[in-house]
Amino acid sequence: MSPRIDAAAAAKVLSGLNRALVVTHEKPDGDAFGSALALRDILVANGREATALLPDPLPVKFLKLAGTDYLTELDPAGLDRFDCVIVVDAAKDDRIALGGKIAWARIGKPVLNIDHHIDNAVSAVWSCVDATAAASAELIWTLAAAIPGWRIPPAAAQLLMLGIVTDTGSFRFTNTTGNTFRAAAALLECGANLEAVTNAAFFSKPLKQQRFEADMLQSCVRSACGGRYLYAVIPDELFQKYDFNMRDGEAIIDLLREIDGVVIAALIYRQLPDRCKISLRSKDSSYPVGPIARTFGGGGHEMAAGITLAGVGLEAAAEQLLRHITSTLEEHAL
Ligand SMILES: [Mn+2]
């Protein structure tokens, strides 16, 4: 882990950079690519050169908000024109998306790491990690707002709003703080279009996804611990039946979390032929899912975390998790 710097020091580093390459984690969500593209826009609006590199496809529903002004691949020689690399919203070196031609270990540039994951372990010269920020987008607003004379252009404000709205479930999750609302208010005043963000994030579900969700709720949900643990084991066939990819369904787990009495919710499905993906959510801070994810080699936030298990079938993964969560919920109940 790199030594940490606070937001004031990170703002100073940011204002001193001239030609930045901005990157984020693989399979970027709204906060990841929103933060990367917004930071690119902010740097450019304030007289710096900046380029974002996003090799992985973005969620379809956000394509309109993201525009097309970013790189999807870069050769090692292409790194020469940058004097630094800024990585946003990525907790681990091996999750940083560079497109396969560049190795993170041989990046050869000073790295500024800006993130809100409590377990961030990215190798960097400067690491600004604030786990109290609801989104990396909120932290980027905090940094940009702290630099005298810097402005946040409307396009950047909108992308930061997207990061905040998606990572807080539209200000419903417990990661929402006073600073989150301050950031959102300031971003509205900078020209963010909240209607466009909300429509893309919450009101643009394809019909096939709605049908997938209905079928999943009918056929895949299991209840344990008297309904305090609800989980869905989703077979490959269900994804095929509705031609649906989980990549576009980051909010699906909330269908379980929003049910009355649920403390911990989980989705268990196959990500690759030999890899199970488990998403975890909690709605009671006495039972955080971050430590559960870390027990299984995963990570994330305290109330929203994920695990990838290699070489394990869906049922075996579900069983392991069920045992662990049952003991967690029962242990604390005593
Ligand atoms: Mn985030």
Side-chain angles (χ1 to χ4, degrees):
M1 196 187 298
S2 314
R4 303 273 169 99
I5 57 173
D6 65 12
K12 269 203 192 106
V13 170
L14 198 57
S15 68
L17 301 176
N18 286 310
R19 292 183 306 280
L21 178 69
V22 187
V23 299
T24 183
H25 62 75
E26 58 190 5
K27 298 186 191 128
D29 56 12
D31 188 33
F33 79 81
S35 292
L37 294 175
L39 185 53
R40 184 270 324 267
D41 285 347
I42 291 169
L43 288 163
V44 170
N46 295 286
R48 273 67 176 174
E49 284 175 39
T51 302
L53 172 62
L54 298 172
D56 286 6
L58 309 186
V60 172
K61 63 186 176 181
F62 294 138
L63 288 176
K64 253 194 286 178
L65 293 183
T68 53
D69 187 17
Y70 55 85
L71 300 177
T72 55
E73 57 175 10
L74 185 66
D75 291 319
L79 275 172
D80 290 349
R81 63 190 171 99
F82 302 106
D83 60 12
C84 65
V85 176
I86 308 175
V87 54
V88 297
D89 201 49
K92 307 243 162 73
D93 288 348
D94 62 6
R95 289 213 60 207
I96 297 168
L98 299 168
K101 293 182 180 167
I102 304 169
W104 182 250
R106 287 196 295 277
I107 199 83
K109 303 280 172 184
V111 172
L112 169 59
N113 165 33
I114 301 172
D115 186 32
H116 69 132
H117 292 89
I118 195 166
D119 55 351
N120 184 292
V122 164
S123 339
V125 176
W126 308 281
S127 273
C128 180
V129 177
D130 181 359
T132 71
S136 292
E138 177 187 327
L139 181 53
I140 288 167
W141 171 78
T142 303
L143 301 185
I147 303 173
W150 271 33
R151 66 181 200 91
I152 298 177
Q158 179 146 320
L159 288 160
L160 292 180
M161 184 69 91
L162 173 69
I164 291 172
V165 162
T166 51
D167 267 20
T168 62
S170 218
F171 309 99
R172 291 175 305 158
F173 303 153
T174 51
N175 57 358
T176 306
T177 66
N179 195 58
T180 314
F181 284 114
R182 270 189 290 280
L187 293 169
L188 277 181
E189 284 157 6
C190 288
N193 180 342
L194 182 59
E195 183 185 17
V197 168
T198 307
N199 279 345
F202 304 109
F203 303 133
S204 60
K205 200 186 281 186
L207 182 57
K208 66 178 182 180
Q209 181 179 341
Q210 196 81 306
R211 289 185 166 138
F212 168 88
E213 291 176 1
D215 201 337
M216 182 206 72
L217 288 170
Q218 284 287 354
S219 59
C220 305
V221 177
R222 305 177 194 179
S223 174
C225 303
R228 296 201 301 150
Y229 174 42
L230 223 56
Y231 62 107
V233 182
I234 312 176
D236 297 352
E237 299 79 57
L238 201 71
F239 292 106
Q240 288 152 12
K241 183 175 173 187
Y242 296 96
D243 181 29
F244 178 68
N245 188 326
M246 204 50 125
R247 189 73 189 81
D248 294 313
E250 62 186 77
I252 284 180
I253 193 165
D254 288 322
L255 297 170
L256 304 187
R257 172 158 54 172
E258 69 196 24
I259 293 167
D260 185 34
V262 171
V263 175
I264 294 176
L267 293 184
I268 303 162
Y269 55 96
R270 206 182 307 281
Q271 198 170 42
L272 289 172
D274 65 337
R275 275 206 290 175
C276 282
K277 168 81 188 176
I278 300 173
S279 297
L280 290 165
R281 297 291 183 273
S282 166
K283 68 176 177 200
D284 179 342
S285 49
S286 310
Y287 302 98
V289 289
I292 297 173
R294 288 191 283 278
T295 301
F296 289 90
H301 305 288
E302 293 311 274
M303 305 296 276
I307 303 165
T308 304
L309 289 178
V312 183
L314 284 182
E315 288 299 333
E319 181 59 35
Q320 280 181 37
L321 190 67
L322 174 64
R323 248 182 279 132
H324 190 83
I325 289 180
T326 302
S327 72
T328 303
L329 287 173
E330 284 170 359
E331 199 175 291
H332 286 255
L334 294 176

